Amino acid sequence: MKTKILVVYTGGTIGMMARDEEESLVVSYLKEFKKYCLHSLVDEARVDFISVAEVKDSSEMNSNDWLEINSIIETNYLNYSAFVVLHGTDTMAYTATAISFLQLKTQKPIVFTGSQKPISAKDSDAVSNLQGAIDMVEYITNSSTARQGQVCIYFNEKLYQANRTTKTSTESISAFDSPHRPAIGGKRGGAYWLGNVFLNVETKEEQTWEFNGFDNEVALLKMHPAFSADRFCTYLTNSSIKGLLIETYGSGNIPINETLLKCLKNKIKDGMLALSVSQCIEGRVDSSLYQGGNAYRKVGVLEGKDLTTEAALVKLMIACNVSEAQFAKSILSTSIAGEQS
Ligand code: ASP
């Protein structure tokens, strides 16, 4: 079968052109964006384009935008062999991770890309990323051995598993990194390649949970030396937060503080989910290693192992909408789509 690819345009720097009166970049509509694309990229025999209802800077996106992108993929699933999603880099890791959880059963590649510079700029990385993402999904689709169903980010000739990525640079053309799972494919010396993760057909864990939507009643606390437990606990006690993600020091450390321990214990007893990830880009949470981690593990803070903050937050948003507590906790502690180990 000939590969037909659907490119879903959502906005982001890749599609920004004009500047407003304050000299800020502004997102343009798909029609304008396509004028800057090479003929080969808009060849209708190979590629169709579709836009979300409201294109935007990805920093304006929330879980409704994730659901819209997902619904575009679902509606068009049978008519295309692969999907490329054009997206701003700021929150691409969150969106692509969310789609990886929503598309657990996909048998087709779904690859996100964007750029650091607008397609209209002379030295832009937009064309090479878009061209590369399209060629990459074609390469995957034509490979007889590849496990096709993957949600990935393609950026600067590297293909990453989406739910392992994090944005690491505002300037470099290598905007993303995947510290716990190196690139799983890409372009090297002008040729495309796929690594073992793609070629070893691993059976994905059966989806044992029902997706009930994303819950926005979550908060992210980053530990820092000026942290005030009193101030934070006043906020938390009076809030309706259902899920708390804590970016801890090192391997899961939080300063031992009786007020914080008591407040977290009470909130967790009342049903709040608390999950810890490390502020370090590499490594994992092992709360038993130091007293500061252990004390909080004992009051019910769960270990996010080697999850990125992005993947942990999206999982928390899913888990908070699951009514059965044990089930919600198991979503957080097990890998849904290869996002943690
Ligand atoms: N602010 C932009 C966005 O995320 C940045 C980019 O696309 O690189 O939409």
Side-chain angles (χ1 to χ4, degrees), residues 75-89:
T75 311
N76 293 284
Y77 188 81
L78 293 177
N79 298 328
Y80 293 91
S81 27
F83 299 85
V84 168
V85 182
L86 300 184
H87 196 286
T89 59

Side-chain angles (χ1 to χ4, degrees), residues 197-216:
V197 174
F198 246 105
L199 299 175
N200 293 341
V201 182
E202 15 168 293
T203 8
K204 287 188 181 175
E205 280 172 44
E206 266 308 296
Q207 184 176 337
T208 48
W209 49 279
E210 205 182 323
F211 174 71
N212 293 325
F214 298 103
D215 199 316
N216 291 326

Side-chain angles (χ1 to χ4, degrees), residues 135-153:
D135 292 346
M136 189 83 236
V137 291
E138 230 168 35
Y139 182 78
I140 298 167
T141 312
N142 292 331
S143 156
S144 55
T145 45
R147 179 162 61 93
Q148 312 270 326
Q150 295 262 8
V151 182
C152 303
I153 287 182

Side-chain angles (χ1 to χ4, degrees), residues 135-136 139-140 143 154 157-160 182-199:
D135 292 346
M136 189 83 236
Y139 182 78
I140 298 167
S143 156
Y154 179 90
E157 304 198 333
K158 290 213 167 82
L159 185 73
Y160 299 110
I184 57 174
K187 194 177 176 189
R188 204 187 281 138
Y192 289 90
W193 64 277
L194 289 171
N196 286 340
V197 174
F198 246 105
L199 299 175

